[in-house]
């Protein structure tokens, strides 16, 4: 087992899980799917600088070997932007649920009021 | 330098006036017209100061680089042609401002009117003094937009809106063609600089692109100048207030096409294709427009069709590709501007004083309004081309040129058709004057109201008519030097001999002219009978055709959308994933080569394998148990944890810190959202669907994982990392290279990213702030926490612990921020840590308690953050360095010792503030709405 195998297979597993969840009908599942895919994408971008152990890109007079800092800088902002995107999508799906009473991604099918305690006529 | 500033001021003055008028929107009418008039007068003064160099050459010009990579420079150039048009634009602009001041009622929105008018003036002026064809295009588009605002000024009138839309569709559509034509022209000529292009006529005409260039530019010119068959928008644009018509349709907007034809004459004119196309279109437009004008009844409609006809004549003259014909066109541009603006203003006066523009209801007005009648009759006589007025000389010149070109190989075709057009012109001009001012009043009511307006209203048209008269009486004195210089600028040849006079002896032109006048008088005499023969229904109704075409475009667009787009996210995502997978398979099959490369592998340790197994198991658990939402959230955070561990091990400490702090706020966010979302929704996917999606997911995972594997087992290509590593400390003043890249090397990217994050935060606020209303509000009020709650709303232990944690966490955040330039940390990470510290307070003590005590507003944080980051960049520019150049130095203080100050630190402060604001805004809003809902539910139960 090498680190390369672990990272590549982890990316594959995250992508597979993410695609499956993104294709579900409920907004929450789709958000989870996007989260998994985002992890995979960030890992992939990071991996494009190749894997190195113990060579952080912190400059020092006595060190001559570093890992590539550029993918790290790109991924750092990508992680923060991922948060922004996730937050926006979550709020968007929440608002859509509040407006329509359905958390189906296409907004129209089976309303779920009956099961979820949002119906006004249902007593505890 | 002084010259450059004069040119720049000339170009910017109208825009500055538009801005000033917009800012004093609520002020009185006199303020608005005063600013507009002052700006126009100032422009005229500047223009006068440029007269000597512009007319005697070399043309004053100045250039500022704008987008050099595209060949787009801000080049301003005032040659004789541009100078004459600028004179018309500013001079008639000033008169129109004076006229509009009286014409518009006090209650009208004069701020909007004069601001739009000045915007238009600036755009128009830009066209004629632009020395770069790409810059010219920008102003060209701006005239279309500004004229849209002006034509549609009376928004409450349907025909104003429709007319404005039609004008925009036609001239804007032509503008698109013109963009294509100009870009091709620039490519063919090898430059976008106008002066350079004008010297490369032979090169352009030899280029295989020439036919396409010509066609596209002509479409642009013909749509703008209302040439057949694009003429139909102009009569509908008459729904505009009359000052607008006087301005746009005498000297400016519709002359832009004529101007461009004249401007590009040395490059485009002279070929068989050019001569035949332009002459024919102009000729057809001239005859057609004049014929229709004869039978219209609305004063402005008569003037609109007469404008179409006169523009046709100008286009035809330029089409001849003869120097003398170009001179006739230049002279007629001056004549037409004078008499047509005067006539439009007179029509406005008549409507203003009688309440109608229908010529069938008017008549005999000379008795009631003698000044207006005198002014308008003289202007109409100039339009008819009667001696001794200006229009006569230019019409003579035109008729004199017609036999010189054998159109379609037939020598008599042009003189005969041009004479017919001239006959119609005499006819409608005479009818306009005769039916309006002479004879008996046709209806009593408008006549009874009629009287001359105050001089403020007729002064402008009287001045213009005076010019039209003088252009006929003393043409050599008034116009010859200007016409000569402008003709030279149009043709690019030596200055021509200019001989303008009313009497040239008996020649063919005089004979044709006399035929036209006699014919025109006959038309007026027989007008009633001809009107009976004229059947307006036999003409195709351009408006209906236009609307039908728009309807068709609408329908086909909708069909295309329905055919290619489904409103289902699931279907679209399926297609996206499917196509991506197919593309990867295609690449793998055709690419060849081995999957595994030769780079030596790093052997994994046991803890790493355990962490990996944890991640795989967690992902599977998320997929399988995605309906158990709370549990899934906990598992998702495990995945984030493993990812940050991976970053930590694989030499990316900054990423590990970022990932773990983002994970905290993400889980908090999802928890809050889940509180309001349904917790256990029914399973709605069929097994078939699940199997299909599972297959796609596995295929995608294997392929992407394979790509990652193939990449990781090969050595990377040449990297620019060495540059960053070598210059981080010496050039950027920091040893944490990742942070130096973020705040220095690629700070522009970071600036963009924090702006995006700020927008996301504000978008979330917008989505949630309005959620309390309407259907969403009703659902929120009906919301009921369906999970068992702790009887203690804010547990004492948690509250007490969180209060102690707050200062500690803040200290950690500040520490991370300060050391970020040299050690793992920085603005992004510090902001996330600080946000987490505050959010714990919200969690423990509730929204109200925390919100009341927080020392900042999230909106301000986002705004200040972006401003600070931007200000750091601009500060570098003030000091003469490029945007976002960093600076640093080392200082020493007693007790503290040596320390570093860097401008990048200030930039990082901007990053910190924006990220903190965006994160806080998202989460605080979400928790607030949950609290609002909970409180409403409690009240409901109580």
């Amino acid at each position: 087992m090498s680190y390369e195998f672990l990272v590549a297979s982890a990316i594959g597993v995250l992508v597979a899980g993410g695609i499956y969840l993104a294709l579900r009908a409920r907004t929450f599942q789709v958000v989870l799917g996007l989260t998994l895919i985002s992890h995979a994408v960030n890992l992939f971008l990071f991996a494009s600088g190749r894997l190195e152990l113990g060579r952080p890109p912190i400059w020092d007079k006595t060190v001559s070997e570093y890992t590539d800092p550029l993918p790290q800088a790109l991924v750092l902002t990508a992680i923060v932007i991922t948060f922004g995107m996730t937050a926006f999508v979550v709020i968007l799906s929440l608002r859509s649920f509040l407006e329509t009473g359905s958390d189906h991604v296409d907004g129209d099918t089976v309303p779920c009021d009956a099961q979820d305690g949002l119906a006004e006529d249902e007593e505890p | 330098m002084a010259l450059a500033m004069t040119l720049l001021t000339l170009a910017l003055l109208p825009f500055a006036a538009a801005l000033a008028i917009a800012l004093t929107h609520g002020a009185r009418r006199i303020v608005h017209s005063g600013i507009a008039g002052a700006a126009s007068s100032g422009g005229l003064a500047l223009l006068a100061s440029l007269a000597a160099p512009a007319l005697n050459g070399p043309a004053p010009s100045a250039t500022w680089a704008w987008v050099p990579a595209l060949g787009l420079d801000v080049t301003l150039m005032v040659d004789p042609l541009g100078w004459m048009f600028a004179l018309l634009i500013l001079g008639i602009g000033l008169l129109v401002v004076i006229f509009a001041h009286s014409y518009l009622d006090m209650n009208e929105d004069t701020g909007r009117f004069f601001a739009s008018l000045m915007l238009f003036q600036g755009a128009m002026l830009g066209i004629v003094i632009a020395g770069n064809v790409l810059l010219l295009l920008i102003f060209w588009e701006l005239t279309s937009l500004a004229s849209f605002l002006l034509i549609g000024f009376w928004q409450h009138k349907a025909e104003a809106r429709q007319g404005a839309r039609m004008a925009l569709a036609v001239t804007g559509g032509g503008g698109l063609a013109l963009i294509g034509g100009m870009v091709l022209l620039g490519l063919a000529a090898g430059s976008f600089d106008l002066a350079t292009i004008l010297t490369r006529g032979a090169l352009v005409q030899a280029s295989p692109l020439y036919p396409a260039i010509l066609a596209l530019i002509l479409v642009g010119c013909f749509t703008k100048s209302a040439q057949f068959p694009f003429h139909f928008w102009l009569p509908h644009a008459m729904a505009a207030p009359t000052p607008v018509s006087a301005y746009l349709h005498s000297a400016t907007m519709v002359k832009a096409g004529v101007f461009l034809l004249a401007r590009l004459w040395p490059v485009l004119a002279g070929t068989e294709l050019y001569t035949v196309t332009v002459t024919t279109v102009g000729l057809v437009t001239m005859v057609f427009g004049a014929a229709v004008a004869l039978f219209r009844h609305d004063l402005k409609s008569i003037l609109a069709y007469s404008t179409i006809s006169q523009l046709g004549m100008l286009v035809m003259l330029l089409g001849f590709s003869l120097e003398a014909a170009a001179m006739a066109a230049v002279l007629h541009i001056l004549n037409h501007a004078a008499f047509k603006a005067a006539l439009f203003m007179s029509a406005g006066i008549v409507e203003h004083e009688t309440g109608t523009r229908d010529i069938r209801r008017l008549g005999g007005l000379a008795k009631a309004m003698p000044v207006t009648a005198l002014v308008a009759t003289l202007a109409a006589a100039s339009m008819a081309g009667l001696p001794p007025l200006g229009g006569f000389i230019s019409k003579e010149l035109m008729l004199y040129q017609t036999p010189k070109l054998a159109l379609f190989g037939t020598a008599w075709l042009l003189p005969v058709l041009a004479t017919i057009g001239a006959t119609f012109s005499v006819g409608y001009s005479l009818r306009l004057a005769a039916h309006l001012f002479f004879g008996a009043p046709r209806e009593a009511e408008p006549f009874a109201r009629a009287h001359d307006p105050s001089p403020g209203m007729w002064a402008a048209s009287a001045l213009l008519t005076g010019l039209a008269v003088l252009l006929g009486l003393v043409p050599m004195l008034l116009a010859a030097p200007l016409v000569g210089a402008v003709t030279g600028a149009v043709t690019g040849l030596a200055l021509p001999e200019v001989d303008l006079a009313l009497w040239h002896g008996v020649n063919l032109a005089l004979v044709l002219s006399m035929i036209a006048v006699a014919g025109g008088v006959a038309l007026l005499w027989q007008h009633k009978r001809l009107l009976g023969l004229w059947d307006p229904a036999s003409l195709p109704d351009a408006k209906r055709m236009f609307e039908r075409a728009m309807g068709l475009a609408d329908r086909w667009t909708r069909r295309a959308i329905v055919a290619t787009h489904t409103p289902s996210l699931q279907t679209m995502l399926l297609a996206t994933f499917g196509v991506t997978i197919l593309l990867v398979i295609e690449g793998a099959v055709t690419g060849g080569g081995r999957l595994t490369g030769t780079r030596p592998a790093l052997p994994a340790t046991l803890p790493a394998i355990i962490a990996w197994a944890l991640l795989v198991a967690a992902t599977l658990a998320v997929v399988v148990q995605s309906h158990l939402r709370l549990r899934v959230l906990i598992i998702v955070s495990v995945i984030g944890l493993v990812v940050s561990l991976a970053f930590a091990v694989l030499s990316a400490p900054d990423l590990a810190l970022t990932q773990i702090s983002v994970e905290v706020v993400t889980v908090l966010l999802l928890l809050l959202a889940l509180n309001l979302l349904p917790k256990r929704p029914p399973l709605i996917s069929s097994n078939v669907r699940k199997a299909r999606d599972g297959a796609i997911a596995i295929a995608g995972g294997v392929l992407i994982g394979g790509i990652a594997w193939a990449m990781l087992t090969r050595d990377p290509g040449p990297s620019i990392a060495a540059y960053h590593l070598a210059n981080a400390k010496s050039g950027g003043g920091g040893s944490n290279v990742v942070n130096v890249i973020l705040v220095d090397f690629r700070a522009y990217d970071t600036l963009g990213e924090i702006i995006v994050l700020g927008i996301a935060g504000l978008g979330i606020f917008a989505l949630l702030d309005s959620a309390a209303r309407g259907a969403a509000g009703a659902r929120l009020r009906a919301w009921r926490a369906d999970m068992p709650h702790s009887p203690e709303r804010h547990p004492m232990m948690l509250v007490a612990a969180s209060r102690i944690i707050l200062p500690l966490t803040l200290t950690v955040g500040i520490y991370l921020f300060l050391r970020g330039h040299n050690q793992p940390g920085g603005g992004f990470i510090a902001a996330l840590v600080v946000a987490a510290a505050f959010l714990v307070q919200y969690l423990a003590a509730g929204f109200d308690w925390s919100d009341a005590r927080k020392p900042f507003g999230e909106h301000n944080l986002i705004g200040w953050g972006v401003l600070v980051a931007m200000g750091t960049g601009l500060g570098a520019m003030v000091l003469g360095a490029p945007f976002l150049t960093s600076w640093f130095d080392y200082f020493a203080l007693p007790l503290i010792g040596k320390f570093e100050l860097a401008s990048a630190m200030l930039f990082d402060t901007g990053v910190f503030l924006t990220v903190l604001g965006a994160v806080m805004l998202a989460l605080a809003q979400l928790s607030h709405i949950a609290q609002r809902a909970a409180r409403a539910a409690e009240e409901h139960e109580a």
Side-chain angles (χ1 to χ4, degrees):
Chain A
M1 286 272 218
S2 62
Y3 272 108
E4 280 79 7
F5 173 78
L6 296 186
V7 170
S9 59
I11 291 173
V13 168
L14 286 169
V15 166
I19 291 181
Y20 183 80
L21 284 174
L23 289 172
R24 299 301 89 209
R26 300 285 176 200
T27 50
F28 192 76
Q29 290 166 311
V30 176
V31 172
L32 288 178
L34 289 178
T35 311
L36 295 189
I37 292 177
S38 302
H39 278 312
V41 170
N42 290 343
L43 272 175
F44 189 95
L45 282 180
F46 166 71
S48 70
R50 304 306 186 269
L51 309 182
E52 303 277 0
L53 294 175
R55 289 174 180 173
I58 310 290
W59 190 83
D60 194 289
K61 264 179 277 193
T62 57
V63 182
S64 61
E65 293 286 319
Y66 303 96
T67 186
D68 191 338
L70 194 60
Q72 294 197 14
L74 298 182
V75 171
L76 198 152
T77 48
I79 293 172
V80 181
I81 292 284
T82 302
F83 167 75
M85 187 198 71
T86 311
F88 192 81
V89 173
V90 164
I91 304 296
L92 195 64
S93 52
L94 177 63
R95 179 73 195 265
S96 139
F97 166 66
L98 289 173
E99 288 294 337
T100 63
S102 157
D103 68 341
H104 193 285
V105 282
D106 296 339
D108 46 7
T109 354
V110 204
C112 40
D113 283 10
Q115 290 86 2
D116 292 303
L118 272 146
E120 285 161 59
D121 55 353
E122 196 189 348
E123 291 302 314
Chain B
M1 196 60 212
L3 185 70
M5 284 324 291
T6 309
L7 287 170
L8 198 63
T9 315
L10 180 67
L12 292 181
L13 201 55
F15 294 112
L19 190 65
I21 294 169
L23 290 177
T24 55
H25 186 261
R28 290 174 38 199
R29 182 176 62 176
I30 183 73
V31 175
H32 301 139
S33 58
I35 296 173
S40 302
S41 316
L44 279 172
L46 289 172
L47 202 62
S49 77
L50 289 170
L55 296 182
N56 303 328
S61 80
T63 299
W64 294 264
W66 187 1
V67 192
L70 292 179
L72 170 55
D73 294 323
V74 177
T75 304
L76 301 176
M77 177 181 83
V78 184
D79 75 338
L81 180 64
W83 191 87
M84 180 183 83
F85 267 93
L87 180 71
L88 291 178
I89 291 160
L90 292 168
I92 297 197
L94 179 60
L95 296 178
V96 164
V97 168
I98 295 169
F99 175 68
H101 174 79
S102 312
Y103 180 86
L104 284 179
D105 196 74
M106 284 283 201
N107 305 324
E108 300 266 18
D109 191 351
T110 51
R112 185 158 58 83
F113 180 86
F114 283 106
S116 310
L117 196 74
M118 284 295 108
L119 188 66
F120 178 82
Q121 187 181 76
M124 203 58 219
L125 197 60
I127 289 182
V128 301
I129 64 172
N132 179 295
V133 292
L134 297 177
L135 186 67
L136 188 151
L137 283 174
I138 293 170
F139 287 119
W140 185 280
E141 293 295 308
L142 200 54
T143 58
S144 292
L145 293 175
S147 70
F148 173 79
L149 296 175
L150 285 170
I151 296 170
F153 175 69
W154 282 322
Q155 299 158 337
H156 55 279
K157 291 187 181 171
E159 75 254 27
R161 298 196 300 268
Q162 288 161 1
R165 209 172 52 195
M166 194 189 282
L168 183 66
V170 176
T171 60
L176 290 180
L178 186 69
I179 292 175
M182 287 298 210
V183 170
L184 290 182
L185 175 68
L187 293 178
S191 169
F192 289 103
D193 181 61
L194 189 61
T196 314
I197 290 176
L198 292 182
T199 60
R200 296 192 179 159
L203 188 68
V204 172
Q205 297 192 357
S207 158
L209 289 172
Y210 175 71
I213 293 171
L214 185 64
L216 290 169
I217 291 181
L218 287 185
V219 168
C221 292
F222 290 168
T223 47
K224 201 80 162 183
S225 283
Q227 295 299 292
F228 184 87
F230 305 114
H231 63 281
F232 56 88
W233 67 266
L234 203 149
H236 289 287
M238 292 299 138
T242 302
V244 172
S245 309
Y247 197 30
L248 267 60
H249 305 133
S250 67
T252 54
M253 169 94 164
V254 293
K255 289 274 175 67
V258 174
F259 166 80
L260 195 59
L261 281 181
R263 181 86 279 178
L264 297 176
W265 206 81
V267 188
L268 298 179
T271 62
E272 179 77 16
L273 187 63
Y274 177 90
T275 311
V276 172
T277 316
V278 178
T279 308
T280 311
V281 168
L283 183 66
V284 170
T285 310
M286 175 170 105
V287 177
F288 166 82
V292 176
L294 207 47
F295 302 106
R296 306 302 290 188
H297 303 302
D298 180 347
L299 288 180
K300 282 178 78 175
S301 185
I302 296 172
L303 292 175
Y305 277 100
S306 94
T307 302
I308 292 174
S309 170
Q310 304 274 341
L311 291 166
M313 174 175 147
L314 292 172
V315 167
M316 178 186 79
L317 281 171
L318 290 170
F320 284 5
S321 309
L322 298 172
E323 187 185 47
M327 188 159 74
V330 170
L331 180 64
H332 196 65
I333 287 170
L334 287 174
N335 274 324
H336 181 249
F339 68 68
K340 190 51 65 70
L343 281 171
F344 267 118
M345 289 179 190
S346 301
I349 292 171
V350 168
E351 182 194 13
H352 205 260
E353 304 306 334
T354 65
T356 179
R357 288 195 322 235
D358 192 333
I359 199 166
R360 289 170 299 186
R361 297 183 58 202
L362 298 162
L365 288 175
K367 288 189 209 80
M369 37 204 319
V371 179
T372 312
L374 179 69
V375 167
T377 306
L378 282 173
S382 184
M383 180 158 78
L386 297 180
L389 299 155
F392 175 74
I393 299 180
S394 46
K395 193 161 286 183
E396 286 280 278
L397 285 178
M398 183 269 284
L399 291 170
Y400 188 71
Q401 293 301 321
T402 50
K404 294 190 183 166
L405 189 75
L407 198 60
F408 303 115
T410 319
W412 54 265
L413 193 63
L414 258 176
V416 168
L417 286 175
T419 309
I420 292 176
T423 309
F424 288 155
S425 295
V426 175
Y428 67 67
S429 305
L430 291 182
R431 177 197 175 215
L432 187 69
H435 285 190
L436 200 52
F437 297 113
F438 304 102
R442 290 180 181 74
E443 277 187 28
E445 193 265 327
F447 183 78
R449 289 172 52 181
H451 60 90
D452 267 323
S454 64
M457 221 158 156
W458 58 255
S461 55
L463 183 66
L464 286 164
T465 304
L467 279 174
V469 174
L470 290 177
L471 278 169
L473 292 178
V474 283
M476 289 307 283
L477 182 72
L478 199 62
L482 182 61
V483 169
V486 174
T487 309
V490 170
T491 58
L493 306 170
L495 291 190
E497 284 281 311
V498 184
D499 178 20
L500 305 176
L502 292 169
W503 181 251
H504 278 113
V506 179
N507 56 19
L508 182 65
L510 187 67
V511 174
L512 293 179
S513 200
M514 280 159 65
I515 295 173
V517 172
V521 172
L523 283 175
L524 179 64
W525 176 42
Q526 290 294 329
H527 189 264
K528 200 168 252 176
R529 188 173 298 169
L530 288 168
L531 201 56
L533 296 173
W534 175 263
D535 180 13
S538 68
L539 276 183
D541 181 355
K543 187 183 172 198
R544 215 167 38 231
M545 282 163 66
F546 173 79
E547 272 162 10
R548 198 175 305 151
M550 294 303 264
L552 272 181
D554 212 35
R555 203 154 55 241
W556 281 102
T557 311
R558 199 165 298 147
R559 264 186 216 171
I561 290 172
V562 170
T564 54
H565 175 91
T566 134
S568 160
L569 181 72
Q570 281 183 294
T571 317
M572 295 305 276
L573 278 179
L574 191 67
T576 309
F577 290 137
V579 169
T580 312
I581 287 170
L582 288 179
L583 283 175
V584 173
I585 291 176
E586 196 264 351
V589 171
T590 57
R594 286 157 43 81
L595 178 64
T596 308
T598 52
R599 182 183 160 91
L602 289 173
T605 55
L606 184 63
I609 296 172
I610 294 172
W612 171 82
L614 207 58
L615 181 135
V616 173
T619 310
L620 285 177
V622 169
V623 171
V624 174
Q625 304 200 315
S626 66
H627 54 288
L628 302 172
R629 299 185 165 193
L630 191 61
R631 187 180 304 169
V632 154
L633 266 190
I634 297 164
I635 305 176
V636 161
S637 63
V638 170
I639 297 176
L641 201 63
V642 174
V643 170
S644 45
L645 280 176
F647 287 143
V649 172
L650 297 168
S651 316
D654 279 282
L655 292 191
L657 278 172
T658 314
Q659 182 69 58
I660 201 156
S661 40
V662 160
E663 206 54 41
V664 172
V665 286
T666 306
V667 169
L668 277 175
L669 172 94
L670 291 174
L671 265 176
L672 284 168
L674 199 57
N675 199 19
L676 291 165
L677 280 170
K679 268 107 211 149
R680 275 183 292 275
L683 303 163
I684 53 174
S685 291
S686 69
N687 284 333
V688 178
R689 189 163 199 158
K690 284 182 185 168
R692 183 198 66 187
D693 294 349
I696 290 174
I698 289 170
V702 168
L703 287 168
I704 302 296
I707 293 178
W709 171 252
M711 176 179 76
L712 283 171
T713 53
R714 284 168 170 79
D715 278 318
S719 167
I720 54 172
Y723 171 83
H724 292 134
L725 289 164
N727 289 293
K729 184 72 179 172
S730 54
S735 54
N736 180 0
V737 186
V738 173
N739 184 271
V740 176
I741 291 176
L742 286 174
V743 299
D744 193 336
F745 291 128
R746 303 197 63 86
Y748 215 153
D749 289 359
T750 310
L751 181 63
E753 310 221 30
I754 61 171
I755 290 174
V756 170
L757 199 66
I759 292 171
L762 294 176
I764 287 168
F765 175 76
L767 278 171
L768 286 180
D769 195 50
S770 58
R773 293 194 294 267
R779 281 202 177 76
L780 267 181
R781 280 188 292 283
W783 177 82
R784 182 171 42 72
D786 54 353
M787 282 196 298
H789 275 74
S790 158
E792 251 187 313
R793 223 173 130 176
H794 303 299
M796 175 76 109
M797 295 281 280
L798 184 59
V799 174
S802 72
R803 303 248 165 104
I804 301 169
I805 285 174
L806 179 66
L808 292 176
T809 329
L810 289 181
T811 312
V812 171
I814 293 167
Y815 171 65
L816 281 172
F817 176 80
L818 287 177
R819 72 172 211 164
H821 214 42
N822 292 309
Q823 291 292 316
F828 277 110
I829 297 165
L832 290 163
V833 169
V834 170
F838 283 121
L839 289 169
V840 169
Q841 304 305 309
Y842 281 74
L843 212 62
F847 179 84
D848 296 324
W849 189 91
S850 316
D851 202 53
R853 282 161 184 77
K854 74 168 187 227
F856 51 80
E858 293 90 356
H859 298 78
N860 291 340
L861 282 182
I862 295 176
W864 278 111
V866 173
L867 284 179
V868 165
M870 204 95 96
T872 313
L874 291 175
M877 287 179 86
V878 171
L879 296 173
F883 187 58
L884 283 170
T885 307
S886 72
W887 163 92
F888 67 94
D889 209 344
Y890 297 91
F891 299 87
L893 271 186
L895 291 179
I896 296 173
K898 191 178 151 188
F899 68 101
E900 179 190 357
L901 275 181
S903 69
M905 206 80 165
L906 199 59
F907 181 82
D908 218 11
T909 309
V911 172
F912 172 84
L913 292 175
T914 311
V915 175
L916 181 63
V919 172
M920 290 300 292
L921 192 57
L923 282 112
Q925 279 299 316
L926 195 52
S927 71
H928 179 47
I929 202 157
Q931 291 235 325
R932 266 198 317 210
R935 202 170 308 138
E938 269 170 25
E939 282 163 14
H940 184 71
E941 276 169 29

